[in-house]
Amino acid sequence: MMTVLNAIGEMRAASRGWRARGLRVGLVPTMGALHEGHLSLVRCARKCSDVVVVSLFVNPTQFVAGEDYSIYPRDEGADIALCQREGVDAIFIPDALIMYSADHSVVIVESDVSKGLCGAFRPGHFTGVLTVVAKLFNIVEPSVAIFGQKDAQQVCVIRRMVRDLNIGVEIVDAPIVRESDGLAMSSRNRYLSESERRSALAIFKSLREAESRFRSGMTSADELVAAVRAALVREPGVKPQYIAVVDADNLAPLQNVDRRALCAVAAHVGRTRLIDNMILDPAIRSG
Ligand code: AMP
């Protein structure tokens, strides 16, 4: 039986109860509007823990002014049903008024890996993410938390927080889950019209283009970025915000892909902002 918990105290008490019985608690933080990408994290959590907790919270502090907070898809009933079917043990659905006191005044700021890529275009976003993730860690006290590689910079920023603040939570990342044609799954795909949905596929195709160029010997980051850009301009419905090839571990700029690199794209399709990425790994290039 899955438990639905709304109160912070109840969530913490439940988690402490499990841990007292020697069970390992795995947390999957989400903003709801669940899809197969989220469910893959749940399955991953199941493998590396005994009790799986999904949190469902559209965190207001990670939306920048003018973004889609007020219209972000919310479908609690469907999310609860999906979690139940997936064998989730508990779902934590706090209210924004419970999560943030009216006069809350402490945040977590990361000042290196959060600066580039999405951070450059969404000022304050990663402060909101880190603050809510730290709060969820303090409430749920999990042994392990699972995050999707779809938000590669987010995983990197969270790993940095855990390392630098000595937080005792193991961070596991899970691969990107895609639609059958390759579009990365995202709650925001629900915003796309039929024609936008067709255009959006160009993002995945442009990343695959970079991957295939890389496999056939192109290692210059500038050239790879140019290849992605050239592939994207063929689709007028897609307006790239950034295209980057950076060190996959610390997101630092790279001249040449001589180590694991992250090729990342953010683009607008109509009014919807989508992100996607691929890892370019010299160790498997020749394979
Ligand atoms: P969100 O609800 O969009 O905040 O996402 C919650 C978690 O699900 C984050 O760790 C995301 O990286 C992960 N996630 C979202 N979409 C995907 C996807 N297509 N594949 C894998 N993980 C995903």
Side-chain angles (χ1 to χ4, degrees), residues 29-31 35 37-38 41 147-148 150-151 154 175-177 185:
T30 81
M31 297 207 298
H35 50 67
H38 298 112
L41 305 190
F147 295 89
K150 158 87 173 14
D151 299 271
Q154 171 169 280
I176 301 177
V177 176
M185 289 195 183

Side-chain angles (χ1 to χ4, degrees), residues 46-281:
R46 169 76 53 224
K47 280 193 202 140
C48 59
S49 57
D50 305 306
V51 176
V52 178
V53 179
V54 170
S55 65
L56 204 158
F57 180 60
V58 184
N59 173 37
T61 68
Q62 71 188 70
F63 289 81
V64 178
E67 288 187 348
D68 53 343
Y69 175 66
S70 59
I71 58 161
Y72 195 82
R74 290 163 170 87
D75 196 347
E76 205 175 289
D79 291 344
I80 291 173
L82 278 173
C83 285
Q84 203 140 27
R85 205 173 318 145
E86 207 55 52
V88 167
D89 298 284
I91 178 160
F92 177 49
I93 315 181
D95 192 271
L97 297 172
I98 294 175
M99 281 295 267
Y100 292 103
S101 309
D103 60 349
H104 73 99
S105 56
V106 176
V107 295
I108 297 188
V109 179
E110 196 287 331
S111 49
D112 177 23
V113 290
S114 62
K115 290 298 154 195
L117 306 179
C118 291
F121 296 93
R122 306 185 71 191
H125 167 69
F126 286 112
T127 295
V129 168
L130 288 182
T131 303
V132 82
V133 168
K135 286 163 74 68
L136 290 168
F137 285 179
N138 284 329
I139 295 165
V140 179
E141 300 179 339
S143 299
V144 56
I146 326 294
F147 295 89
Q149 184 61 26
K150 158 87 173 14
D151 299 271
Q153 187 176 20
Q154 171 169 280
V155 183
C156 196
V157 173
I158 290 168
R159 283 192 192 281
R160 191 58 78 90
M161 169 179 79
V162 164
R163 186 196 75 180
D164 287 357
L165 298 183
N166 307 98
I167 297 176
V169 178
E170 182 192 341
I171 304 300
V172 168
D173 56 275
I176 301 177
V177 176
R178 300 179 177 282
E179 300 287 355
S180 53
D181 63 357
L183 179 71
M185 289 195 183
S186 164
S187 304
R188 291 188 168 97
N189 290 350
R190 299 188 187 195
Y191 296 146
L192 302 172
S193 69
E194 255 177 60
S195 75
E196 288 171 343
R197 169 66 183 79
R198 282 194 295 275
S199 301
L201 188 57
I203 299 172
F204 168 68
K205 286 186 173 163
S206 74
L207 288 166
R208 224 176 31 184
E209 175 78 23
E211 190 186 41
S212 100
R213 297 287 184 98
F214 175 66
R215 288 217 170 125
S216 50
M218 184 184 279
T219 59
S220 151
D222 285 348
E223 286 179 23
L224 288 163
V225 166
V228 173
R229 191 172 300 282
L232 277 179
V233 296
R234 278 184 241 131
E235 175 48 73
V238 177
K239 306 277 178 243
Q241 184 178 59
Y242 71 76
I243 301 163
V245 173
V246 295
D247 186 313
D249 293 327
N250 58 18
L251 311 184
L254 270 185
Q255 278 202 315
N256 262 295
V257 182
D258 51 7
R259 67 201 83 171
R260 268 179 89 249
L262 177 76
C263 182
V265 170
H268 281 96
V269 181
R271 301 176 56 134
T272 304
R273 183 179 178 278
L274 299 176
I275 58 171
D276 197 355
N277 68 79
M278 236 174 236
I279 294 289
L280 304 177
D281 189 346

